[in-house]
Each structure stands twice: as structure tokens, then as C-alpha cells.
Amino acid sequence: MSTTRLRFAPAPTGSLHLGSARTALFNWLTARGTEGELILRIEDTNAELTRPELIDNIYRSLEWLQIEFDGEPVRQSERTDLYNDAVESWLSDDLAYVDDGAVRFRVPSDGTTSWDDVVRGNVVFENQNIEDFVVRRADGSATFFTANAVDDFDLGITHVVRGEDLVNVTPKVIMLRQALGAQDLPKFAHLPLIVNEQRKKLSKRRDDVALESYRDRGVLADAMINYLALLGWGPPDDVEVRPIEEIVQLFRLEDVNPSAAMFDVKKLEAINGDYIRAMKPEEFTEALIPWIANEPWNSLVDRDQLAQVAPLVQERTRVLVEGPPQLDFFFLESPEIEESAWEKAMTTPEAPLILESTKTAFASVDWSVASLHESLRAIGDSHGMKLGKAQAPVRVAVTGRLVGPPLFESIHALGREVVLERILRAQNKLDET
RNA sequence: GCCCCCAUCGUCUAGCGGCCUAGGACACCGGCCUUUCACGCCGGCAGCACGGGUUCGAAUCCCGUUGGGGGUGCCA
């Protein structure tokens, strides 16, 4: 028998919002940390929101985040009788009245309604500031207030953890719950809003709020969860990047910071980079495949070769989308040479000499990373250049860019034939100009 | 307008009356390492919004001001 029972109650309005994901997470953390239960409740009292595909998206996103629920989801659209009964009883007790076909709840004109919020402390509303609100629409459907109050009571919810934007509906829900005959109140915890750089609530219109869009760019679920946990909460020991199991142990609703938190993509990506670097090379290679599938050179990719070269860019990748562009030259027949790179590396007096020496040396050098390395180092030496300088023309000739994965490992993977051909190609291009 | 909430480095946070000349992380700036970039390491910049209290003592408690935000639908 569990002592705590929580619910995550999204309205199916399309893709899961970052704020909703954070709310789901904090509910989940609380449930896990207290060995309680967490149920998923779909708030689709509005007929327009009952479309199955909207709900599927929520399931998929929550599944991706590995936020699990106990029991089957509760669909409010399937509990209309319950809401009707409640409204009827309020009507017969004269707690509510009909107005233009809708039913409104009678709010007392004096007194106060308050609760002790877990994250904000005591919150008090003067009843006189609350209007009689609609509990049943003219079309007969229950409103959010009714469904919310009835379900939280009926489902035995002990902790209501939701966004701060719902603070002002809380007194209404409390009144309804009392009208239902409830003697107690659940613990309310209103989480700080997640805001953008303008300090405004993340909005669908202006901000990139869909969880999927981060997933699609190659943010890992574990990293996303870890980052989201840091929005409004911090571990007591200052260790921010850590396994979710540890966060479950450390997390306490009482420690949640009440002030709004800005969603910082840079930090998200930094944490994601940590997670990517922590992957096994094979895992990283595997994770990259869906992103490579989007590249025009996808059909040229050889899996074995990919397994060999992907790890070379692992620590250079913060989000998975950044992976493929760093690897294209391994697979493209004749990768394009970036103009700015060419300008920088090939217009020096030494460049042609280095290319020629390298071509000659590489034609017979032992094809190992160490020998390749030593060989080019020696060539650089003979021109009085450090390797850092000397490698530039070769890198541009072979990869088309000035920056990229470690050169000798790359050259090694490409093979002698390809490398010599690319050097020759660069020499030809040099001759043309 | 009315109601409600919030206020520590640029950002996310630690701090719950003395351990704070305020700690960590991201970002930024130096340096080291180095075959580029990155990673890693070392160092730096930078904050308790303001004013009153309370107290021997306040970032921490109270009040006010200012500034931000949220809500104000027969949406949720």
C-alpha cells in the first residue's frame, strides 16, 4: 500500500512541451523517491482534444524520457458521468446555478481560500476576488476545474505537482473539492515556470518548446532528463551531471526553487556532450546511424568503416546532428574543399612543397598511424615547420577542411590509394591557379 | 485595471542567522596539453535589486519600494 500517489495530467495539445516534460519528471521523481505511485491522466474534457494522434505523441515522448506510469492512463473523456454527478449534486445543494445554459459554481463573497504550497509556502486568495466560474459548459461537458477536482479526489491523489501557471486555479479546485465533501487537501507544489531569454513563459509560437525537436537534433534522453532536473532544483553536493537513480535519491519537492528558470540550450548541449563522451564507441556509432541516414552520402556508408571512424568524432560532438558533417569526407568520392580553408592552408609558399613531399613519403611509408605521424613530422621539420603548421595543407587536401578529426587516424582509415589521389587532386588544383 | 507569484554571478543553482572576504556548473576570457578542432587540466571575470527594520550578528527573518513574471475563457 503506497502512501503517496501522484498524477501527471497533460492536455493533449500536440507535441509534449518542455515545461510539461519537466512537470512529468518532477512528479516521477517524487513518486519514485517516496515509493509512491504515478498515474497518467489525459485532460481531454474538451472534445477537440480527444484525437488519438495527439495522445500518441505524449506517450511517445514520455516513453522516450523513460518516465513510466503505474496502471493504465486515465482519460477524462471517459469519466463524464462522474463529473455530471458532481455537478448535479452541487446544483441540488444550491452550490451551483444555471447561467446561460452553463453551470456556475457559487463562490462565497467573503472569507479566504488558502493552502500551504510545498514550494511557495502559504498562498492566500480573497474569495471576493474570485468570480463564479463555470463547472459545466452549455454543451454539457465538464470544465477543467470540475474534472480536475473530481479526479484528484476520486483517484486519491496526495500530491499535486504542476506548473506555476496553475496557481490561480487552485482556490477554485479547492472549493470544488470541499463541495465534493473532501475533508483534506492534497499537498500542492507549484513548480517555477520555464522561461526564455526574455524571461517570458516558453511559448509554442516563439520558442522551440517541443521535446521532439531536441530529440531530433540528437539530444539524448538521459541528458535531457538530467538537464530538466536542474531547472528549479539543484543537488546538495553540487554534482550536476549524474545518473537519474542518484537524482531520485537526492530529489525533494521541498527543495524546489520557486523562481522561474531560463531554458539554456547551451547548458543542455554541454551536458549532452558529457553524456555522448560517456558512451561506448560502439554505442556512439549506433546512435549516429539515424542521423547519417539523412545525409545524401548515406548510400556510400560502409558499416565497418563507420565503426572505425565514428569514434574519432565522438568527443567533438555535443548533439548527434553534429556527427555526420564531420565524417562526410570518409565516404564521399571527392569531398568538396572549403574555399576559406584552401585560402588559408594552400596559399603559403611551403604548401606545394609539403604536398609533394607528403605524396612521395606516403607512397611507401608503413601504413600505420604512428608511421604516418612521424613521416609528416619529419617533412615539417625539413621545412622548419611545426607539425601544427605542416599538417594544414595535407588536412585540407585530404578532408577539404581546416578542422576535423585527428589527421593520421583519418588518413589511416581512408587508405593509401584514396589519400594519394586526394593529394594529387589538390596539387592539380594548385597548378591551375 | 484586478488577483497571484518571484527576486544570489550573463544563465542554472548551493546557501535555510554566525562555517560566506557567498560555493559549484554552463557561457565568456587567459594559459597548459596538442597534428587542427575538440577533450582534459589550471587560472580569471562576474552576484546577494534597493530602502527600512528585527538581532550581538542577515544573502538568510519581517515590512516597504522597485523590477520581472503568471493569471484574469463555457482552453487546460
Side-chain angles (χ1 to χ4, degrees):
Chain A
M1 193 63 207
S2 66
T3 50
T4 61
R5 199 168 158 84
L6 295 93
R7 86 304 197 275
F8 171 57
T13 54
S15 55
L16 194 65
H17 184 109
L18 285 172
S20 300
R22 201 273 309 259
T23 298
L25 172 64
F26 280 29
N27 271 285
W28 182 84
L29 288 171
T30 307
R32 283 291 171 281
T34 58
E35 289 173 34
E37 292 181 350
L38 174 63
I39 64 179
L40 175 61
R41 187 170 81 208
I42 306 294
E43 307 230 323
D44 55 353
T45 52
N46 184 322
E48 294 166 26
L49 300 180
T50 56
R51 288 191 287 133
E53 64 272 24
L54 294 177
I55 295 167
D56 282 353
N57 188 293
I58 292 178
Y59 289 159
R60 274 206 312 282
S61 294
L62 292 169
E63 202 175 318
W64 178 64
L65 291 173
Q66 295 191 63
I67 292 178
E68 321 92 1
F69 295 86
D70 298 295
E72 287 303 298
V74 173
R75 294 272 304 266
Q76 290 189 328
S77 56
E78 292 167 358
R79 295 164 63 82
T80 54
D81 288 351
L82 238 39
Y83 312 141
N84 257 319
D85 291 350
V87 174
E88 287 305 327
S89 80
W90 294 333
L91 240 17
S92 63
D93 290 347
D94 198 33
L95 260 25
Y97 60 93
V98 175
D99 170 42
D100 277 348
V103 177
R104 285 184 186 274
F105 189 79
R106 261 184 230 290
V107 175
S109 55
D110 58 356
T112 61
T113 300
S114 64
W115 73 94
D116 189 25
D117 198 279
V118 179
V119 342
R120 283 150 223 280
N122 201 37
V123 182
V124 186
F125 282 75
E126 302 265 349
N127 292 157
Q128 61 176 352
N129 291 322
I130 303 172
E131 300 296 314
D132 289 358
F133 54 96
V134 173
V135 292
R136 186 168 71 192
R137 303 186 186 95
D139 68 4
S141 61
T143 59
F144 164 81
F145 309 109
T146 304
N148 202 274
V150 168
D151 284 342
D152 283 346
F153 185 39
D154 182 67
L155 268 18
I157 300 303
T158 59
H159 298 246
V160 173
V161 179
R162 50 165 48 147
E164 190 196 340
D165 48 342
L166 267 349
V167 166
N168 66 99
V169 310
T170 303
K172 297 177 184 173
V173 168
I174 288 174
M175 287 176 192
L176 256 25
R177 166 179 266 258
Q178 287 164 345
L180 250 17
Q183 299 298 311
D184 62 339
L185 244 42
K187 281 191 192 304
F188 287 102
H190 287 95
L191 270 20
L193 251 25
I194 298 181
V195 298
N196 61 20
E197 32 300 298
Q198 280 81 236
R199 297 252 119 211
K200 298 252 205 276
K201 184 170 79 158
L202 246 35
S203 91
K204 209 175 202 170
R205 190 160 289 167
R206 277 199 335 281
D207 310 300
D208 203 358
V209 298
L211 192 67
E212 320 177 273
S213 78
Y214 294 90
R215 183 197 59 195
D216 292 349
R217 290 190 50 238
V219 171
L220 272 19
D222 287 350
M224 180 55 94
I225 282 284
N226 196 149
Y227 176 66
L228 252 19
L230 265 16
L231 253 27
W233 177 82
D237 59 6
D238 281 339
V239 178
E240 296 187 325
V241 179
R242 67 199 313 163
I244 190 66
E245 296 76 33
E246 291 183 17
I247 294 176
V248 168
Q249 293 306 313
L250 262 16
F251 182 84
R252 299 188 334 159
L253 266 186
E254 304 77 58
D255 295 335
V256 171
N257 187 331
S259 55
M262 192 191 89
F263 190 79
D264 184 352
V265 180
K266 282 244 185 75
K267 181 147 181 172
L268 200 216
E269 294 188 346
I271 290 176
N272 202 55
D274 285 341
Y275 275 83
I276 285 179
R277 269 172 255 122
M279 293 169 109
K280 293 197 187 78
E282 315 85 70
E283 289 176 337
F284 176 70
T285 304
E286 195 63 30
L288 225 42
I289 289 175
W291 277 269
I292 287 177
N294 295 329
E295 297 291 331
W297 41 271
N298 176 43
S299 61
L300 304 172
V301 175
D302 170 81
R303 285 291 287 262
D304 288 340
Q305 197 190 359
L306 179 65
Q308 195 189 347
V309 302
L312 297 178
V313 303
Q314 184 165 353
E315 69 180 23
R316 295 165 174 74
T317 304
R318 288 157 71 90
V319 282
L320 294 174
V321 264
E322 295 172 350
Q326 302 180 81
L327 294 169
D328 58 358
F329 71 89
F330 283 114
F331 304 99
L332 254 16
E333 184 86 11
S334 51
E336 208 175 304
I337 296 178
E338 274 182 16
E339 202 155 323
S340 62
W342 181 272
E343 288 302 317
K344 273 210 175 109
M346 299 299 201
T347 55
T348 66
E350 297 88 353
L353 308 176
I354 293 208
L355 287 181
E356 183 57 29
S357 309
T358 302
K359 189 177 66 177
T360 305
F362 281 10
S364 59
V365 71
D366 170 47
W367 205 254
S368 70
V369 172
S371 302
L372 257 6
H373 185 187
E374 175 51 28
S375 174
L376 188 56
R377 192 198 58 73
I379 291 169
D381 263 6
S382 71
H383 291 92
M385 297 168 84
K386 295 227 163 144
L387 226 204
K389 274 265 191 226
Q391 57 97 43
V394 180
R395 178 182 290 280
V396 171
V398 174
T399 75
R401 302 198 185 91
L402 221 37
V403 302
L407 223 214
F408 305 111
E409 281 81 348
S410 302
I411 287 174
H412 177 74
L414 242 16
R416 197 189 307 266
E417 195 186 337
V418 173
V419 170
L420 291 179
E421 187 210 300
R422 289 187 186 177
I423 291 174
L424 180 61
R425 186 174 53 123
Q427 286 181 305
N428 290 339
K429 181 171 174 178
L430 214 43
D431 290 343
E432 290 168 15
T433 53

